[in-house]
Amino acid sequence: MKKDYMKLMEYMNESSRAVAVTGAGISYLYGVRRLKQSVGFMNYGKIFSASYVRKNPEKFYKIIKNAFLDATFEKGPSKVHKQLAELEKQGKIKGILTQNLDCLHTIAGSVNVVEFQGSFRDNICIDCGSCYYDYRVWGQSQMPKCEKCGGYLMPTGFCREAPLSSVVSRENMNKAINMISKADLVIVIGTTGFRSEEYLSRMQPETKLVQINPSPTKFDSIADLNIRADAAEILEAVLQG
């Protein structure tokens, strides 16, 4: 592992535009559940729809609370979230691209965060389409409502049928593509590569790709360096190095 760590440090010292890509792995073991598994694959399309929320707002909120909100508001960010925030603060990475919706990167203090699936800070009214860019609307122990029309809010990434949701979703992915296209080092942590083909294809040929993940993923064959270790341990060494 020391050899891998030294190689990562070499890449980081040579980099001026490093970015991190994160997935469910950094949140899953911390209490955030994989949503489709927690509600069942067959029920996902039914539950995460505007029509279901209008009829069952309390049930929907309970599902979201159990899957995400308890971890987001009660436990807070994990060590990895905090380490990545510190790396950004020190200028060692320029930003974070994440598939996660839990806002834990933002709560940890990261500033330049692109959530390409949307998140709990990227919300839309299912009736009038008004947007609310604030995760704190979900910390009120009940379904958040639109201040303009009284309709319920949903994270944009969950509600494909809401007005403007597809536009917002596309904008998020465009931000991800822009971040990746400017990077000279991409550090992948805790993701198996969900929707990665949409942003990795824009990576420059000379850009290095490093994966930190105990288990094999689709990145194995394309990474310049695969580190089979706990991300918190590696990032701690990077911060101290």
Side-chain angles (χ1 to χ4, degrees):
M1 189 179 74
K2 184 177 180 180
K3 182 180 178 181
D4 290 339
Y5 160 72
M6 294 302 295
K7 193 65 178 178
L8 173 59
M9 288 300 297
E10 177 185 329
Y11 286 159
M12 294 194 73
N13 289 334
E14 294 173 349
S15 169
S16 60
R17 301 183 307 278
V19 301
V21 177
T22 68
I26 69 167
S27 297
Y28 179 61
L29 296 178
Y30 197 65
V32 176
R33 302 179 184 179
R34 288 182 171 89
L35 197 54
K36 288 188 178 181
Q37 292 179 353
S38 66
V39 302
F41 285 89
M42 297 297 292
N43 293 326
Y44 185 84
K46 172 185 175 183
I47 292 173
F48 294 98
S49 66
S51 57
Y52 183 88
V53 170
R54 289 188 184 101
K55 295 177 181 177
N56 307 280
E58 293 181 2
K59 289 183 179 179
F60 180 83
Y61 184 82
K62 185 176 180 180
I63 291 169
I64 295 298
K65 184 177 185 298
N66 290 338
F68 289 101
L69 302 183
D70 285 345
T72 297
F73 290 102
E74 294 179 16
K75 292 186 177 181
S78 69
K79 187 174 183 178
V80 174
H81 292 102
K82 294 175 182 177
Q83 289 169 326
L84 288 171
E86 182 61 27
L87 286 172
E88 183 185 11
K89 182 179 179 180
Q90 293 181 11
K92 294 182 179 179
I93 63 173
K94 296 302 181 183
I96 298 169
L97 165 61
T98 185
Q99 70 186 59
N100 298 338
L101 295 88
D102 52 41
C103 297
L104 289 173
H105 284 300
T106 298
I107 296 171
S110 293
V111 176
N112 188 18
V113 181
V114 175
E115 297 151 326
F116 65 82
Q117 290 198 97
S119 74
F120 284 97
R121 66 172 177 172
D122 187 0
N123 302 286
I124 192 166
C125 174
I126 62 176
D127 289 334
C128 73
S130 296
C131 295
Y132 291 79
Y133 200 64
D134 188 351
Y135 71 89
R136 291 172 296 183
V137 299
W138 291 95
Q140 302 170 10
S141 301
Q142 61 183 352
M143 276 294 294
K145 291 185 177 182
C146 177
E147 295 177 356
K148 296 179 181 179
C149 74
Y152 291 111
L153 304 185
M154 288 183 70
T156 306
F158 287 172
C159 189
R160 305 301 181 193
E161 63 200 288
L164 302 179
S165 62
S166 61
V167 175
V168 175
S169 179
R170 188 66 253 168
E171 287 177 350
N172 289 337
M173 182 54 75
N174 286 340
K175 291 177 183 178
I177 291 171
N178 183 57
M179 180 181 285
I180 287 291
S181 67
K182 294 178 180 179
D184 57 9
L185 173 63
V186 177
I187 305 171
V188 176
I189 306 171
T191 176
T192 57
F194 178 71
R195 293 183 68 183
S196 60
E197 65 280 353
E198 296 183 58
Y199 57 83
L200 283 187
S201 61
R202 306 303 181 91
M203 199 169 70
Q204 299 300 318
E206 65 274 14
T207 300
K208 300 294 185 183
L209 179 64
V210 176
Q211 175 180 219
I212 306 174
N213 202 322
S215 304
T217 74
K218 66 188 299 182
F219 293 107
D220 288 12
S221 60
I222 61 173
D224 295 279
L225 175 64
N226 283 299
I227 302 178
R228 300 290 188 219
D230 178 76
E233 182 179 354
I234 296 298
L235 295 182
E236 187 64 30
V238 170
L239 285 167
Q240 293 178 359

